């Protein structure tokens, strides 16, 4: 099933099953971000900031070391608790052989703790690095980081039973706007997909098409 259809089904399931107050708060926040005037995410043509982060096994991964081997698809996601993120990561896993055949590689980053990243990687059988950015430092350098407003923190904690400070093992309620970047060997962003509506994601085929042009 195409990613777009999977996401639409997940959204329909959310609307059908999530508490009304949770839906109201989450859709309110999406609208606030969309209307804030904030330009989230780096753009095509921007230089991608390098970073070094731990993968799920505690090994360090440095972006520019990976770029020396070929283009990198870099995707930022919210966490393993987000079904929309899991749909996207599974879709990327399906096209990973094609990405690699074209000389590229895939790296995923979330603010969740290394233990949760490892659990997610094993559960979804992900064969690409899943890196932990618990303080959101790298997300911030890509202009993706935001702090959840108090009304949304309350919904997460008391209605959805998800305390992000515990899950991510930090003392801040922060998340990245979901984003995917295709970065060439010179470190230039050739394609960028950034959307405050976390229920919408880039179709992996768009990445494949662009990767073929590099």
């Amino acid at each position: 099933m195409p990613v777009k259809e999977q996401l639409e089904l997940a959204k329909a399931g959310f609307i059908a099953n999530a508490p009304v107050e949770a839906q109201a708060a989450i859709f309110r926040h999406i609208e606030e971000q969309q209307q804030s005037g904030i330009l989230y995410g780096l753009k095509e043509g921007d230089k991608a900031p390098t970073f070094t982060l731990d993968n799920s096994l505690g090994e360090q991964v440095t972006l520019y070391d990976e770029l020396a081997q070929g283009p990198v698809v870099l995707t930022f996601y919210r966490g393993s608790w987000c079904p929309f993120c899991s749909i996207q990561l599974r879709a990327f896993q399906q096209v990973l052989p094609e990405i690699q055949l074209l000389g590229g590689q895939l790296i995923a980053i979330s603010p969740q703790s290394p233990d949760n990243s490892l659990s997610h990687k094993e559960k979804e059988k992900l064969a690409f690095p899943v890196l932990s950015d618990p303080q959101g430092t790298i997300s911030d350098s890509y202009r993706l980081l935001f702090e959840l407003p108090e009304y949304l923190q309350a919904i997460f904690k008391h209605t959805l039973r998800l305390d992000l400070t515990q899950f991510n093992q930090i003392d801040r309620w922060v998340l990245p706007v979901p984003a995917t970047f295709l970065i060439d060997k010179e470190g230039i962003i050739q394609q960028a997909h950034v959307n405050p509506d976390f229920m919408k994601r880039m179709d992996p085929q768009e990445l494949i098409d662009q990767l073929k042009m590099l």
Side-chain angles (χ1 to χ4, degrees):
M1 183 185 297
V3 172
K4 184 178 180 181
E5 292 182 20
Q6 293 182 56
L7 293 169
E8 288 173 349
L9 283 175
K11 182 176 181 178
F14 171 75
I15 292 172
N17 299 309
V20 173
E21 62 270 24
Q23 293 184 48
I26 287 170
F27 285 123
R28 170 188 169 186
H29 186 248
I30 290 173
E31 185 176 359
E32 286 175 351
Q33 285 188 310
Q34 290 173 329
Q35 296 181 356
S36 67
I38 298 172
L39 297 177
Y40 289 105
L42 297 181
K43 306 302 179 188
E44 294 163 5
D46 287 343
K47 186 81 169 178
T50 193
F51 57 78
T52 299
L53 290 174
D54 289 341
N55 65 15
S56 55
L57 299 176
E59 302 163 337
Q60 290 192 330
V61 176
T62 298
L63 175 62
Y64 274 62
D65 289 347
E66 303 304 313
L67 286 173
Q69 304 173 45
V72 168
V73 175
L74 180 63
T75 189
F76 291 84
Y77 69 104
R78 289 148 40 100
S80 56
W81 50 268
C82 171
F84 301 90
C85 296
S86 293
I87 288 171
Q88 184 182 38
L89 293 182
R90 286 195 296 268
F92 279 143
Q93 177 60 42
Q94 288 180 345
V95 300
L96 182 61
E98 194 169 357
I99 290 174
Q100 293 173 332
L101 191 63
L102 293 166
Q105 49 196 318
L106 178 61
I107 296 173
I109 296 177
S110 83
Q112 65 190 6
S113 69
D115 285 347
N116 284 320
S117 291
L118 178 59
S119 298
H120 197 199
K121 183 178 173 74
E122 292 175 341
K123 178 184 177 182
E124 300 293 352
K125 297 180 172 61
L126 304 177
F128 50 86
V130 179
L131 310 183
S132 294
D133 178 29
Q135 295 295 334
T137 305
I138 310 308
S139 296
D140 195 31
S141 72
Y142 280 76
R143 300 180 192 163
L144 301 171
L145 194 70
F146 67 90
E147 187 162 356
L148 279 70
E150 290 187 3
Y151 73 83
L152 196 54
Q153 293 180 30
I155 287 293
F156 266 75
K157 194 170 184 178
H158 303 299
T159 304
L160 301 179
R161 304 298 183 194
L162 175 62
D163 187 333
L164 288 179
T165 61
Q166 292 183 6
F167 193 86
N168 296 339
Q169 296 181 3
I170 61 170
D171 58 1
R172 302 173 65 202
W173 282 81
V174 291
L175 285 176
V177 171
T180 300
F181 303 97
L182 175 57
I183 306 169
D184 67 19
K185 291 185 67 173
E186 285 69 45
I188 303 301
I189 296 173
Q190 295 294 332
Q191 191 173 25
H193 183 278
V194 184
N195 193 334
D197 185 350
F198 63 85
M199 300 181 187
K200 297 178 181 178
R201 306 296 173 102
M202 172 182 273
D203 191 308
Q205 190 57 48
E206 294 179 37
L207 280 171
I208 299 297
D209 292 343
Q210 185 67 31
L211 195 53
K212 289 176 179 177
M213 298 170 61
L214 292 184

